[in-house]
Amino acid sequence: PVCCCRPLPPRKTQAVKDQIGIPLIDTQHAGLFDTFARLQRSNSDETLSEILTKLGNQIQDHFHTEEILMRGMGLPDDMLHGHFSAHNTILEELAELHWHAMSGKAKTTDEVVTMVSAWVIQHLAEYDFGLKPYINGLTDSIHYSAAT
């Protein structure tokens, strides 16, 4: 499962935050890191639920954008399906976390931060940065086509 790894140390986190080369995706990644930083500062169950809602919306939008772009990159089928499967796993685990937060059975903020950190960092490192070799041939018009 995606959530079983520990968060990377800050030095590695910065490396993962580096851009992959598609401005729209890079902007979305920056927004996810901003919301994650807000999650780390969360101090109440209500705030936790609100942040998880925002994060969930951002992640869904990002995955939708990413999947549209990926379909046009000429990726091998196993890479494409593996990436999409990772998206689905994260969305399912996020939905479960959010449901627990809304029902008063929330994990501690530290536990949530650890899980979300693992998802974001691991997904970027294992999947998104694997797209770099396929990005080189894309034009700027393709970079922004997913927004429409």
Side-chain angles (χ1 to χ4, degrees), residues 48-50 52-53 93-103:
L48 179 64
S49 181
E50 291 170 6
L52 286 174
T53 296
E93 291 180 5
L94 181 62
E96 184 177 336
L97 262 183
H98 195 205
W99 181 82
H100 285 295
M102 290 173 40
S103 66

Side-chain angles (χ1 to χ4, degrees), residues 4-17:
C4 65
C5 65
R6 294 186 324 241
L8 295 174
R11 191 170 187 198
K12 289 278 190 184
T13 301
Q14 183 56 46
V16 172
K17 287 171 66 172

Side-chain angles (χ1 to χ4, degrees), residues 80-107:
L80 189 68
H81 295 298
H83 201 129
F84 289 5
S85 178
H87 286 176
N88 289 333
T89 300
I90 289 172
L91 290 172
E92 289 169 6
E93 291 180 5
L94 181 62
E96 184 177 336
L97 262 183
H98 195 205
W99 181 82
H100 285 295
M102 290 173 40
S103 66
K105 301 175 188 173
K107 295 183 178 292

Side-chain angles (χ1 to χ4, degrees), residues 38-66:
R38 187 172 162 218
L39 177 65
Q40 290 175 303
R41 296 186 304 270
S42 173
N43 57 9
S44 73
D45 288 344
E46 181 178 351
T47 303
L48 179 64
S49 181
E50 291 170 6
I51 295 169
L52 286 174
T53 296
K54 178 179 174 89
L55 187 63
N57 290 335
Q58 285 178 291
I59 287 174
Q60 285 181 337
D61 288 346
H62 171 64
F63 287 171
H64 177 73
T65 300
E66 200 172 76

